[in-house]
Amino acid sequence: MSGFNKVVNSYEEAMAGLKDGMTVIAGGFGLCGIPENLIAQVKKMGTKDLTIVSNNCGVDGFGLGVLLEDRQVKKMVSSYVGENALFMKQLLAGELEVELTPQGTLAEKMRAGGAGIPAFYTATGYGTPVAEGKDVREFNGRNYILEESITGDFAIVKGWKADKFGNVVYRHTAQNFNPMAATAGKITVVEVEEIVEPGELDPAHIHTPGIYVDRLIVGTFEKRIEQRTVRT
Amino acid sequence: MSGFNKVVNSYEEAMAGLKDGMTVIAGGFGLCGIPENLIAQVKKMGTKDLTIVSNNCGVDGFGLGVLLEDRQVKKMVSSYVGENALFMKQLLAGELEVELTPQGTLAEKMRAGGAGIPAFYTATGYGTPVAEGKDVREFNGRNYILEESITGDFAIVKGWKADKFGNVVYRHTAQNFNPMAATAGKITVVEVEEIVEPGELDPAHIHTPGIYVDRLIVGTFEKRIEQRTVRT
Amino acid sequence: MALTREQIAIRVARELQDGFYVNLGIGIPTLVANYVPEGMEVMLQSENGLLGMGQFPTEDEIDADMINAGKQTVTTVTGASIFSSAESFAMIRGGHVDLTVLGAFEVDTSGNIASYMIPGKLIKGMGGAMDLVAGADNIIVTMTHASKHGESKLLTKCSLPLTGAGCIKKVLTDLAYIEIEDGAFILKERAPGVSVEEIVSKTEGKMIVPDHVPEMVF
Amino acid sequence: MALTREQIAIRVARELQDGFYVNLGIGIPTLVANYVPEGMEVMLQSENGLLGMGQFPTEDEIDADMINAGKQTVTTVTGASIFSSAESFAMIRGGHVDLTVLGAFEVDTSGNIASYMIPGKLIKGMGGAMDLVAGADNIIVTMTHASKHGESKLLTKCSLPLTGAGCIKKVLTDLAYIEIEDGAFILKERAPGVSVEEIVSKTEGKMIVPDHVPEMVF
């Protein structure tokens, strides 16, 4: 790697340095826009006691769900974990910790983490179990709770196209949590479908500027569909 | 106006409802990407006692500077006001109030205002005059100050292209504060160089989604250059 | 007769206005999209990052990268925009969405709502619901008035963990349209053929019954 | 001899590393871009919303919509990205910029910096400077060692309103390169032909002088 060439050539290299007990922030919503191959690499590495920050935990046998099979996950920070039988089983058995976080708060925590904002107030969750132990403060007659930001040792991100500088664009709603995750990793790894020539991406339409990206790899994706709905 | 057609046909209509004492958030950085004609309309209306939130206050005779001529501005919230002799005169004479706000904090205050975040912590300004009277709190061994968000009665924004739905894209660095300003107005007015056909803008590359935009008008712009620098 | 799912959707659709940005939750709320009044345009927000959600795709149009908050494959309408989850919830939290429709397990006379968790039984998570109820000014909760066993879901105090506190003002059940004001349920409309007495008997929280409670017309 | 503006820029440029994202302040810091070592690539961040700032435009290329933080017309390099002020300061505040170079009126042995305001005289504002000094880990302050009247600008305690508290570790003046550590200035290098005695005499704050203080070579 030299200058601004962020491209690495193997998934081993992409996830090099991941260690037991680390925090990994993952992009994706449901199975849409998830870093499939980076997750598979984490499974292959067998790293344990991970804290995973991701809106969901995949499904049984796909996405982040595969990390449950060998009990690699100590704790999940998610807004919705309902699609995963193994998850429920480990959770109810006390083998897995979960920190349920409202979806918008989770997105904002990642953004804040990347943006050097250590904490922010939100009305979301005031008066609910989410507010337990958190500071409450009134602004303009309304109560808000203080939420702290999230950063990770690694962020794993799924993009569509990128140039070697690490400038990334996302496709359709596969964007979701990926741009915020990309800002919040000490080491941010992005896998994409295509690496384009320098200058091909319009500077004004880059979703994730290369400054946030440490490693970039091109992969192939299954893109499993969770709820296939069609009109006739 | 019906459905999602945000287009208005006169600057009178664009700024209708602006009243003495209101807060107006303006996009722009220096003279780049400023809503020239909306500012001119405010001057024409003669509205007084305005609080203007904008990174700068234009120059003598152009941009927000024109609102000083008839003393329409009660207070400026800005990060840098150094390019304007009339501004300095009124400030030193006590005829104008200024709340100097660090540039990044100002951008974040607008974004937070639009995003329903009433306040956030930042290290910016800790230990400086900016911190006076503000809450200090330690996170991970570092001190941060609490900054409250900003919203305006009006936001005035300069875009490049928009469709009738109010989806806006900005051109080059004329983007600057405009996207945040657009989110933070009770009434957000955007003036653009061109209104394009519905469907012409790529949904994944819209800088300001139409949900933030109340009124849209097409104008012509002088685009004065503040520091003309060339290489030979 | 209790309202059908479709009738609930039709009644909610009457709250729509031309030019509204609307977030529809999973289940009955989703059906509201089918009953937008003629000549009116609304734009649907999906909290995973889509404004201007269209209908389901044809087989040919299916795209794994284009889904809604229910993880269903969808399409976009002309004028749509697609953005990050942070931007999506900036819209929601910032109060830019004109109407939010979502389901619930319970609501109470203080405007509290419980919709995401049954302790020891259902631990799926709140998804975007907490942000939606905290961020919106205009929320309609759709739910059945009572459980299958006849237990009221309109309570003096929610028994389940809350999704939001003091944020609900409008509830449409299969029996009635109700507004919450000053610590009471105000009975505004009743389902066709459903008596005020039945509604009151199935409402555990304090209910105020005006002299005239119009019957909904479909 | 005191360093020239160009020599200051050259010395700062030696702190660059291949692949660095760098924010250069107005004035001398801007000159650093001219002395990026051969074979090394850096990318310039301009806080108005540009990563990958290029050289000034030709007459034909001038575009009012393409400026830098000094409001000068500029161009972009291949690999550039353009974004909002909020995104720009997310990069800065979030510590993603590898090196920040900026000027100052005063620094002190506690790492405080004063650079934006002379009360009663100069009230222009801090612009992005407070965010830059608070957000960056790696900051080099460039300044003259003393005022025209010989008053030291390296103090025990800044006399002017602060831009940032406890955030400066590296200072390059026209006389010396200095690091701030444990409440003292450490004299690391001296300008060619400038004596340790001159530097010490022009430094008001506590200065630690190592046995050997190498002379800068140009």
Side-chain angles (χ1 to χ4, degrees):
Chain A
M1 202 186 308
S2 85
F4 292 93
N5 187 0
K6 311 285 177 84
V7 180
V8 298
N9 296 308
S10 71
Y11 277 93
E12 286 74 20
E13 206 181 332
M15 293 306 296
L18 181 70
K19 290 193 170 52
D20 291 355
M22 280 188 165
T23 295
V24 179
I25 302 181
F29 178 87
L31 300 181
C32 181
I34 59 172
E36 297 180 13
N37 303 295
L38 294 169
I39 294 167
Q41 176 62 24
V42 175
K43 175 163 175 74
K44 195 172 154 194
M45 291 168 77
T47 323
K48 302 272 184 194
D49 292 325
L50 296 172
T51 294
I52 306 279
V53 182
S54 170
N55 190 59
N56 313 93
C57 191
V59 294
D60 292 306
F62 195 69
L64 289 167
V66 303
L67 301 184
L68 300 171
E69 295 162 5
D70 302 320
R71 302 235 179 106
Q72 292 180 259
V73 184
K74 185 181 68 179
K75 180 179 171 182
M76 281 297 306
V77 180
S78 302
S79 87
Y80 193 78
V81 289
E83 314 298 353
N84 204 316
L86 186 54
F87 188 98
M88 279 304 139
K89 196 179 148 219
Q90 293 187 7
L91 182 62
L92 294 173
E95 296 163 359
L96 179 64
E97 194 185 336
V98 64
E99 186 174 326
L100 287 178
T101 304
Q103 196 174 139
T105 298
L106 185 62
E108 193 68 14
K109 277 172 172 258
M110 290 185 196
R111 181 195 175 270
I117 305 284
F120 57 90
Y121 283 96
T122 176
T124 301
Y126 170 74
T128 79
V130 163
E132 273 165 29
K134 290 175 186 163
D135 269 29
V136 173
R137 191 169 170 136
E138 191 180 312
F139 296 94
N140 300 315
R142 190 165 181 204
N143 286 313
Y144 296 83
I145 61 174
L146 185 65
E147 292 281 5
E148 296 195 24
S149 66
I150 295 178
T151 55
D153 298 294
F154 273 78
I156 55 175
V157 168
K158 160 65 173 63
W160 178 29
K161 295 179 182 181
D163 61 24
K164 67 166 187 168
F165 299 94
N167 294 310
V168 182
V169 293
Y170 304 95
R171 188 165 175 275
H172 300 337
T173 59
Q175 180 170 166
N176 57 62
F177 281 84
N178 282 297
M180 285 74 69
T183 69
K186 283 198 197 81
I187 296 175
T188 290
V189 189
V190 180
E191 59 172 340
V192 294
E193 299 175 41
E194 187 186 348
I195 292 177
V196 302
E197 287 304 307
E200 199 174 315
L201 300 177
D202 181 341
H205 293 302
I206 285 164
H207 293 124
T208 292
I211 194 170
Y212 295 116
V213 176
D214 297 288
R215 303 172 191 170
L216 180 66
I217 188 164
V218 67
T220 54
F221 299 85
E222 175 183 340
K223 294 198 190 178
R224 198 179 291 188
I225 292 175
E226 209 164 335
Q227 301 284 341
R228 188 181 188 88
T229 46
V230 291
R231 74 172 188 278
T232 41
Chain B
M1 200 185 310
S2 85
F4 292 93
N5 187 1
K6 312 283 178 86
V7 180
V8 299
N9 296 307
S10 71
Y11 278 92
E12 287 73 20
E13 205 181 332
M15 293 306 293
L18 182 70
K19 292 194 168 50
D20 291 356
M22 279 187 166
T23 295
V24 178
I25 302 180
F29 179 86
L31 300 181
C32 181
I34 60 172
E36 297 180 14
N37 303 296
L38 293 170
I39 293 167
Q41 176 62 23
V42 175
K43 176 164 174 70
K44 196 173 154 196
M45 291 168 77
T47 323
K48 302 274 184 193
D49 292 325
L50 295 173
T51 295
I52 307 279
V53 183
S54 169
N55 190 58
N56 314 91
C57 190
V59 295
D60 293 308
F62 195 69
L64 289 166
V66 304
L67 302 185
L68 300 171
E69 295 162 5
D70 302 320
R71 301 234 178 105
Q72 293 180 257
V73 184
K74 186 182 67 180
K75 179 179 174 181
M76 281 297 304
V77 180
S78 301
S79 88
Y80 193 78
V81 290
E83 315 297 353
N84 204 315
L86 186 54
F87 188 99
M88 278 305 141
K89 198 178 145 219
Q90 292 187 7
L91 182 61
L92 294 173
E95 296 163 359
L96 179 63
E97 193 186 336
V98 65
E99 186 174 326
L100 288 178
T101 304
Q103 197 173 138
T105 298
L106 185 62
E108 193 68 12
K109 277 171 173 261
M110 290 184 196
R111 181 196 175 269
I117 304 284
F120 56 90
Y121 283 96
T122 176
T124 300
Y126 170 73
T128 79
V130 164
E132 273 166 29
K134 290 174 185 162
D135 269 31
V136 173
R137 190 170 171 135
E138 193 182 310
F139 296 94
N140 300 317
R142 190 164 181 205
N143 286 312
Y144 296 83
I145 61 173
L146 185 65
E147 292 281 6
E148 295 195 26
S149 67
I150 294 179
T151 54
D153 298 294
F154 273 77
I156 56 177
V157 168
K158 160 68 173 65
W160 179 28
K161 296 179 181 179
D163 60 24
K164 67 165 188 169
F165 299 94
N167 294 309
V168 182
V169 293
Y170 304 95
R171 189 166 173 275
H172 300 336
T173 60
Q175 180 170 166
N176 56 59
F177 281 84
N178 282 298
M180 285 73 69
T183 69
K186 282 198 197 79
I187 297 176
T188 290
V189 190
V190 180
E191 58 172 341
V192 294
E193 299 176 40
E194 188 188 347
I195 293 176
V196 302
E197 288 303 308
E200 200 174 315
L201 301 176
D202 182 342
H205 293 302
I206 285 164
H207 293 124
T208 293
I211 195 170
Y212 295 116
V213 177
D214 297 289
R215 302 171 191 171
L216 180 66
I217 188 164
V218 67
T220 54
F221 298 85
E222 178 184 336
K223 293 198 191 180
R224 199 180 288 187
I225 291 174
E226 210 163 336
Q227 301 283 342
R228 188 180 189 89
T229 46
V230 292
R231 74 172 189 278
T232 41
Chain C
M1 281 280 288
L3 300 182
T4 62
R5 289 162 56 92
E6 284 69 27
Q7 284 175 317
I8 291 177
I10 291 167
R11 176 61 192 84
V12 169
R14 291 178 188 159
E15 302 293 315
L16 298 174
Q17 292 179 28
D18 197 27
F20 258 24
Y21 297 97
V22 181
N23 185 293
L24 301 176
I26 293 168
I28 294 178
T30 302
L31 299 177
V32 174
N34 300 331
Y35 300 102
V36 179
E38 195 72 27
M40 187 182 284
E41 286 179 72
V42 301
M43 212 174 253
L44 301 179
Q45 207 260 12
S46 189
E47 64 264 27
N48 57 316
L50 169 59
L51 182 66
M53 178 168 57
Q55 50 189 337
F56 293 143
T58 60
E59 277 291 345
D60 286 349
E61 289 172 333
I62 278 188
D63 188 328
D65 289 338
M66 188 70 91
I67 66 166
N68 66 14
K71 282 110 179 179
Q72 298 170 310
T73 46
V74 292
T75 58
T76 58
V77 299
T78 301
S81 50
I82 298 172
F83 33 79
S84 72
S85 302
E87 179 65 52
S88 186
F89 282 93
M91 290 175 190
I92 290 168
R93 200 190 305 103
H96 303 279
V97 174
D98 297 301
L99 176 66
T100 290
V101 186
L102 79 173
F105 300 144
E106 300 173 345
V107 295
D108 70 26
T109 51
S110 302
N112 298 324
I113 173 172
S115 66
Y116 84 103
M117 191 191 200
I118 299 175
K121 196 168 156 194
L122 189 71
I123 319 170
K124 292 197 163 191
M126 69 292 285
M130 283 193 182
D131 303 280
L132 283 161
V133 298
D137 254 354
N138 191 10
I139 303 169
I140 301 177
V141 171
T142 62
M143 59 194 293
T144 53
H145 207 98
S147 74
K148 284 176 217 158
H149 313 294
E151 288 156 338
S152 179
K153 297 180 178 181
L154 280 73
L155 307 173
T156 303
K157 192 171 177 355
C158 287
S159 67
L160 297 169
L162 296 186
T163 307
C167 48
I168 304 302
K169 290 177 204 145
K170 299 175 183 176
V171 183
L172 181 67
T173 73
D174 53 342
L175 302 183
Y177 172 65
I178 288 153
E179 292 185 2
I180 302 174
E181 219 179 279
D182 298 331
F185 296 120
I186 320 289
L187 180 56
K188 290 288 194 178
E189 299 172 28
R190 56 204 169 82
V194 173
S195 69
V196 167
E197 290 66 32
E198 179 180 350
I199 295 165
V200 170
S201 76
K202 289 186 174 165
T203 304
E204 190 263 340
K206 178 181 172 186
M207 177 166 268
I208 292 174
V209 181
D211 289 344
H212 178 62
V213 181
E215 212 174 67
M216 297 176 201
V217 179
F218 290 94
Chain D
M1 283 278 289
L3 300 182
T4 62
R5 289 163 55 91
E6 284 70 26
Q7 285 175 316
I8 292 178
I10 290 167
R11 176 61 192 84
V12 169
R14 291 178 188 160
E15 302 292 317
L16 297 174
Q17 292 178 28
D18 196 27
F20 259 24
Y21 297 97
V22 182
N23 185 294
L24 300 176
I26 293 168
I28 294 178
T30 301
L31 299 176
V32 174
N34 300 332
Y35 300 102
V36 178
E38 195 74 27
M40 187 181 284
E41 286 179 72
V42 302
M43 213 175 255
L44 301 178
Q45 206 261 11
S46 190
E47 64 265 27
N48 57 317
L50 170 58
L51 182 68
M53 178 166 59
Q55 49 189 341
F56 292 143
T58 61
E59 277 291 346
D60 286 350
E61 289 172 334
I62 278 186
D63 188 327
D65 289 337
M66 188 70 92
I67 67 167
N68 66 13
K71 281 112 180 175
Q72 299 170 311
T73 45
V74 292
T75 58
T76 56
V77 299
T78 301
S81 51
I82 299 172
F83 33 79
S84 73
S85 302
E87 181 64 54
S88 186
F89 282 93
M91 289 174 191
I92 289 167
R93 199 190 305 103
H96 303 279
V97 175
D98 297 301
L99 176 65
T100 291
V101 186
L102 79 174
F105 299 143
E106 300 172 345
V107 295
D108 70 25
T109 50
S110 303
N112 297 325
I113 173 171
S115 67
Y116 86 103
M117 192 191 201
I118 300 175
K121 197 171 155 192
L122 188 73
I123 320 171
K124 293 196 163 190
M126 67 294 284
M130 283 193 181
D131 303 281
L132 283 160
V133 298
D137 253 354
N138 190 11
I139 304 169
I140 302 177
V141 171
T142 63
M143 58 193 295
T144 55
H145 208 100
S147 74
K148 284 175 214 157
H149 313 294
E151 288 155 336
S152 178
K153 298 180 175 180
L154 280 73
L155 308 173
T156 304
K157 193 173 175 358
C158 287
S159 68
L160 296 169
L162 297 186
T163 307
C167 47
I168 304 302
K169 290 176 205 148
K170 300 177 183 176
V171 184
L172 181 67
T173 74
D174 52 342
L175 302 183
Y177 172 66
I178 288 153
E179 293 186 359
I180 301 174
E181 217 179 279
D182 297 332
F185 296 120
I186 320 288
L187 180 56
K188 290 289 192 175
E189 299 172 28
R190 57 203 169 83
V194 173
S195 69
V196 166
E197 291 65 33
E198 179 181 350
I199 295 166
V200 169
S201 76
K202 288 186 173 166
T203 304
E204 189 263 339
K206 176 182 174 187
M207 177 166 266
I208 293 173
V209 181
D211 290 344
H212 176 62
V213 181
E215 211 174 68
M216 296 176 203
V217 178
F218 290 93

